[in-house]
């Protein structure tokens, strides 16, 4: 009970950070102020721009909210379970639409502004994204079968108890994999942005860059937004882990307490 207060605060910070990350992603994709933004949300020539929005919405915001709803919300267990499953289902829908957006944007010449074909699954971002989606989707199926429709499949409480630790482990790993995919995706996009033929997300220096903060203001607006997305995702994942992590009570364990005493 003593840790529940901090855990609730952490959960609120995590969800608010995820909402900010999604909002910044929409701004980055939708704006066409200059070459550091992605240009708009036209579902024809700019269909790809829905991919980051839907993936952040599904894997990050819905993923985090679903995890925290089960651990933190003061609800009866059946209602917690159905809330958990419903939010995960929304996440799966977002992920599916996000995958459709990127594959159509890359494989159909009328779905991107250049009118060309783009490669799929060639970068670290795409590999990490695929890993996150496979783990997330697999765990969704495991959870649905084992804890929502377990009577249909004749699963006993003993079997469910055996499955639960792996379900928790996969869910936690899926969140971290999703965060890695988002961060590498941001890096990949920022290296592809140019203004007047020059990289948008960098600045020129004529002497040793000993005080980078002094030059940060010269970055293009879209690049600052992109960095903000990455920071908010990292904060959201950290506080989610804090909220769901079972903190050891060292003071009640003599062996743990002994480690804190100087001889």
């Amino acid at each position: 009970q003593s840790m529940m207060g901090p855990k609730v605060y952490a959960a609120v910070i995590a969800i608010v950070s995820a909402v900010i990350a999604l909002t910044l992603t929409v701004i980055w994709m939708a704006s066409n102020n200059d070459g550091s933004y992605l240009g708009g949300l036209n579902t024809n020539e700019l269909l790809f721009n829905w991919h980051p929005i839907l993936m952040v919405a599904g894997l990050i915001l819905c993923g985090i909210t679903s995890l925290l709803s089960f651990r933190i919300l003061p609800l009866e267990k059946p209602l917690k379970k159905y809330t958990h499953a419903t939010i995960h289902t929304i996440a799966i829908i977002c992920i599916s639409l996000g995958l459709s957006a990127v594959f159509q944007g890359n494989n159909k010449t009328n779905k991107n502004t250049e009118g060309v074909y783009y490669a799929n699954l060639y970068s670290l971002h795409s590999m990490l994204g695929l890993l996150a989606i496979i783990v997330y989707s697999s765990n969704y199926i495991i959870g649905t079968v084992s804890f929502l429709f377990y009577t249909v499949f004749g699963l006993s409480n003993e079997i469910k108890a055996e499955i639960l630790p792996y379900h928790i482990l996969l869910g936690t790993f899926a969140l971290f994999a999703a965060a890695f995919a988002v961060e590498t995706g941001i890096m990949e996009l920022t290296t592809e942005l140019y203004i007047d033929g020059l990289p948008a997300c960098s600045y020129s220096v004529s002497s040793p860059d000993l005080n980078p903060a002094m030059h940060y203001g010269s970055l293009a607006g879209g690049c600052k937004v992109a960095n903000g997305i990455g920071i908010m995702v990292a904060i959201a994942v950290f506080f989610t882990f804090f909220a769901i992590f079972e903190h050891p009570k060292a003071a009640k364990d003599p062996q743990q307490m002994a480690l804190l005493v100087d001889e």
Side-chain angles (χ1 to χ4, degrees):
Q1 291 294 328
S2 62
M3 282 301 301
M4 188 50 65
K7 283 175 176 285
V8 172
Y9 295 140
V12 171
I13 294 172
I15 293 174
V16 170
S17 299
V19 170
I20 294 173
L22 178 58
T23 303
L24 291 175
T25 304
V26 172
I27 292 171
W28 194 29
M29 296 299 119
S31 179
N32 57 2
N33 290 353
D34 57 43
S36 66
Y37 293 88
L38 275 293
L41 298 176
N42 185 316
T43 53
N44 289 318
E45 292 86 1
L46 296 172
L47 180 61
F48 169 85
N49 289 0
W50 284 95
H51 170 70
I53 294 173
L54 290 163
M55 289 307 188
V56 171
L59 287 170
I60 301 299
L61 179 56
C62 288
I64 284 174
T65 305
S66 182
L67 286 174
L68 294 175
S69 69
F70 194 82
R71 290 296 189 96
I72 303 298
L73 284 181
L75 303 173
E76 295 295 325
K77 189 173 181 180
L79 185 54
K80 276 186 172 182
K81 183 167 65 174
Y82 289 120
T83 301
H84 181 73
T86 299
I87 300 173
H88 272 316
T89 301
I90 296 171
I92 291 293
I93 293 171
C94 289
I95 292 167
S96 300
L97 293 173
L99 278 177
S100 175
V102 68
F103 279 110
Q104 287 194 65
N106 288 344
N107 294 333
K108 293 184 177 181
T109 57
N110 65 328
K111 293 296 183 180
N112 61 73
T113 53
E114 287 76 20
V116 297
Y117 298 107
Y118 290 99
N120 292 302
L121 301 177
Y122 65 92
S123 66
L124 179 60
H125 163 67
S126 56
M127 298 300 174
L128 287 172
L130 184 61
L131 174 65
I133 291 167
I134 290 172
V135 175
Y136 195 107
S137 303
S138 300
N139 203 39
Y140 174 78
I141 294 170
I142 291 170
T144 301
V145 170
S146 303
F147 306 109
L148 206 59
F149 300 115
Y150 58 92
T151 55
V152 175
F153 296 93
L155 299 180
S156 66
N157 288 334
E158 289 75 16
I159 294 176
K160 288 161 57 182
E162 291 286 337
I163 294 172
L164 182 59
Y166 299 102
H167 180 61
I168 295 172
L169 175 64
L170 287 174
T172 305
F173 178 75
L175 177 59
F176 279 105
F180 295 149
V182 169
E183 303 291 4
T184 53
I186 292 169
M187 292 182 65
E188 188 173 307
L189 279 179
T190 54
T191 60
E192 297 173 356
L193 299 175
Y194 288 84
I195 298 177
D196 298 329
L198 298 174
C201 295
S202 184
Y203 54 81
S204 299
V205 293
S206 56
S207 60
D209 192 14
L210 302 178
N211 185 11
M214 183 176 66
H215 301 288
Y216 190 78
S218 63
L219 279 180
C223 304
K224 296 174 185 175
V225 172
N227 290 340
I229 298 167
I231 291 169
M232 286 298 105
V233 168
I235 291 173
V237 172
F238 171 80
F239 280 101
T240 299
F241 188 66
F242 180 91
I244 66 175
F245 181 66
E246 294 297 331
H247 301 271
K249 297 177 177 59
K252 295 184 179 181
D253 185 342
Q255 290 184 336
Q256 291 291 326
M257 197 62 188
L259 297 175
L260 305 176
V261 179
D262 295 328
E263 293 185 3

